[in-house]
Amino acid sequence: MEGKMPVFLEKHDQELMRKKNRMLVFNSIQQHHPISRTDIARLSGMSAATVGRVVADLIELGLVKETDQISGGVGRKATMLELNLESIMTVGIEVDRNLTKVALVDLSGRIIVENQQLIDQNEKQLDNLIDAIVRLVAEMAAEQGIPHSKFIGAGVGLPGIIDSEQGVVVFSAQLGWRNVPFAERLEARLNMPVVLDNDLKVKALGESSFRSLDVIPAETVENITALVSIGSGLGAALIMNQKIYRGSRNIAGEIGHSIIDPNGKLCECGKRGCLQTYITDLALLQEANQIREVSSLQELFRYMEQGEPWAKSIIDRACSYIAITINNVVCTYNPNSIILTGKFIEEHPGMFEAVNLKLQEFIGEHFSGSFEMFRSKLGERSVMIGAAKLVLQQQIDYGLVHKS
Ligand SMILES: [Zn+2]
């Protein structure tokens, strides 16, 4: 019987490889269409035979179509591949403490139309929130003339610990939810499949799928993107070979609760000295308020620009902690690229560079050339686009829904 085990493993590996290849080929068509099979093979490092097989799958799924075009400057006719933009539509949703954003996203990852709704305390009630989402989707679909049958699903990114397999919000401090079966509830009302995940994880998925092939050489064995976000919370997310890396309970990346001082400040998680007690906006404002009344990060930045030494010192220390965080992520995961994002980085044009400078101090010489660091490319839309991408990924992995 011993011989059976490896056969099973092999099959499992093949399945994983097939999914990985599909996503890789789809991403290269998404980024470079129209593109020939030969160019996909060159970009992805796959054999021509594998590319041919995967492309046939994607055509079968209705996601890709062939088109005759002149390729390159040679003037030779080649069969090119295009996205089948007419075939499907997805919904990308971001639910946050005060705001819910909804977008209709096409196969290329482009937002066709978007809308948002402020959520007051009352609307945090599940039914009201779901009503708002259903209404926004229906309004936008009607306005764009998109029939319901075209929608293959909706993806939702929200803050907190999410059981993505069951579609349950296990715990969200920001929303005040515990064990909420959000996917099931929304699915029943939207009448389409719904997938859920943590907002940073879908953000990372969105950002990475629009840049991976630009920066990662085909021969790279593992393609790892790490997203580090500093704002009202502190977190990270990893994309490995096109997929969200979740760990066993989907909490991989919760670096905000890594402990750096057992005698430090009390954290919302009940432990002392968590990293996030030093660098979230709340922590910085608390510190600032010991000197002067400061009510927002913007105001703190203003004091720094006016040359106030205390403001400079608070921000300088935050930059050091962020650089240390990045160093720790690099040591642990050895990513090819890091996307640095969040309010602290995005609300002041100088912070990205300030952290970059600090990195020279905190990153070991053997690690410093191992990754490139980027700003967010999709900005405020990244969660919606990433959530829509999650839906598409399910479609590509499992061929769940219809094809037209
Ligand atoms: Zn904590």
Side-chain angles (χ1 to χ4, degrees):
M1 292 309 285
E2 265 177 20
K4 289 225 159 173
M5 197 64 176
V7 175
F8 169 75
L9 282 178
E10 229 170 64
K11 221 173 169 182
H12 181 70
D13 288 349
Q14 275 173 8
E15 181 64 16
L16 279 180
M17 187 56 80
R18 193 178 58 86
K19 287 178 181 174
K20 180 183 154 190
N21 287 345
R22 269 194 194 175
M23 209 61 224
L24 195 56
V25 170
F26 179 81
N27 281 347
S28 46
I29 298 172
Q30 193 182 49
Q31 286 177 38
H32 300 282
H33 65 106
I35 183 172
S36 67
R37 287 172 173 82
T38 316
D39 282 340
I40 295 173
R42 189 177 48 75
L43 269 175
S44 65
M46 286 180 207
S47 73
T50 307
V51 169
R53 216 163 35 236
V54 176
V55 166
D57 280 355
L58 292 172
I59 291 175
E60 166 73 20
L61 282 167
L63 302 176
V64 166
K65 63 182 180 187
E66 287 185 334
T67 158
D68 279 338
Q69 289 209 9
I70 309 292
S71 94
V74 203
R76 200 162 43 85
K77 233 178 174 199
T79 305
M80 303 293 270
L81 299 162
E82 269 282 5
L83 294 175
N84 189 5
L85 286 177
E86 299 304 306
S87 65
I88 60 149
M89 188 64 65
T90 56
V91 182
I93 301 166
E94 176 176 12
V95 175
D96 203 353
R97 197 193 296 257
N98 305 314
L99 192 67
T100 291
K101 298 194 242 175
V102 181
L104 307 189
V105 184
D106 77 6
L107 195 51
S108 70
R110 192 170 68 90
I111 289 184
I112 302 296
V113 57
E114 64 186 295
N115 207 340
Q116 56 186 46
Q117 168 135 2
L118 278 169
I119 301 296
D120 62 28
Q121 209 51 39
N122 198 21
E123 271 158 339
K124 272 190 207 161
Q125 302 294 326
L126 207 50
D127 285 333
N128 293 335
L129 177 65
I130 289 175
D131 281 347
I133 292 172
V134 170
R135 184 177 48 77
L136 289 175
V137 171
E139 278 172 9
M140 290 189 289
E143 177 194 310
Q144 300 291 320
I146 302 165
H148 188 79
S149 59
K150 262 198 181 179
F151 287 95
I152 58 163
V156 188
L158 30 69
I161 297 171
I162 315 295
D163 179 342
S164 61
E165 231 163 81
Q166 302 295 325
V168 171
V169 179
V170 178
F171 176 68
S172 172
Q174 290 89 334
L175 299 170
W177 292 1
R178 212 177 266 277
N179 292 321
V180 173
F182 191 62
E184 194 187 309
R185 298 280 299 272
L186 185 58
E187 212 164 282
R189 294 283 315 280
L190 268 184
N191 201 14
M192 62 177 87
V194 171
V195 288
L196 282 195
D197 218 320
N198 167 271
D199 53 354
L200 285 188
K201 287 188 167 73
V202 294
K203 187 172 187 162
L205 185 65
E207 293 282 349
S208 76
S209 56
F210 286 93
R211 87 169 71 232
S212 52
L213 290 171
D214 297 338
V215 291
I216 308 302
E219 63 274 16
T220 309
V221 185
E222 293 251 71
N223 175 0
I224 302 174
T225 300
L227 177 136
V228 176
S229 173
I230 308 103
S232 54
L234 168 69
L238 288 173
I239 304 298
M240 289 190 179
N241 300 323
Q242 337 276 322
K243 284 286 171 101
I244 295 172
Y245 176 75
R246 304 177 190 284
S248 74
R249 292 266 177 102
N250 203 23
I251 55 178
E254 293 286 334
I255 52 171
H257 298 288
S258 52
I259 294 172
I260 54 173
D261 177 4
N263 302 312
K265 276 188 273 184
L266 202 58
C267 175
E268 63 178 26
C269 72
K271 303 286 175 206
R272 278 190 185 279
C274 291
L275 185 57
Q276 74 167 27
T277 63
Y278 293 86
I279 44 178
T280 54
D281 50 8
L282 192 69
L284 300 181
L285 291 181
Q286 268 172 4
E287 218 181 329
N289 274 283
Q290 291 172 6
I291 307 287
R292 188 170 303 186
E293 207 182 303
V294 181
S295 60
S296 70
L297 211 49
Q298 291 284 6
E299 211 182 326
L300 180 61
F301 284 136
R302 242 185 345 262
Y303 280 120
M304 175 192 73
E305 279 162 2
Q306 288 163 7
E308 292 285 345
W310 56 271
K312 268 186 171 169
S313 145
I314 290 172
I315 288 168
D316 187 70
R317 201 166 75 122
C319 289
S320 293
Y321 277 121
I322 296 167
I324 290 168
T325 305
I326 292 169
N327 173 67
N328 295 351
V329 168
V330 167
C331 293
T332 316
Y333 298 109
N334 186 197
N336 321 71
S337 46
I338 290 190
I339 297 161
L340 189 59
T341 181
K343 248 204 301 190
F344 185 85
I345 301 300
E346 271 142 35
E347 286 192 358
H348 192 285
M351 285 307 111
F352 183 87
E353 282 315 317
V355 171
N356 226 341
L357 268 177
K358 283 282 179 196
L359 273 178
Q360 295 171 9
E361 198 178 317
F362 289 103
I363 289 252
E365 71 170 309
H366 300 297
F367 303 144
S368 62
S370 67
F371 66 96
E372 281 190 78
M373 195 160 78
F374 302 94
R375 294 170 195 271
S376 156
K377 216 175 189 175
L378 304 174
E380 291 178 345
R381 298 189 165 98
S382 55
V383 174
M384 289 187 288
I385 292 174
K389 181 85 187 187
L390 197 60
V391 175
L392 197 56
Q393 208 163 55
Q394 301 269 325
Q395 171 82 347
I396 290 170
D397 280 0
Y398 305 107
L400 278 181
V401 211
H402 79 289
K403 52 179 191 282
S404 51

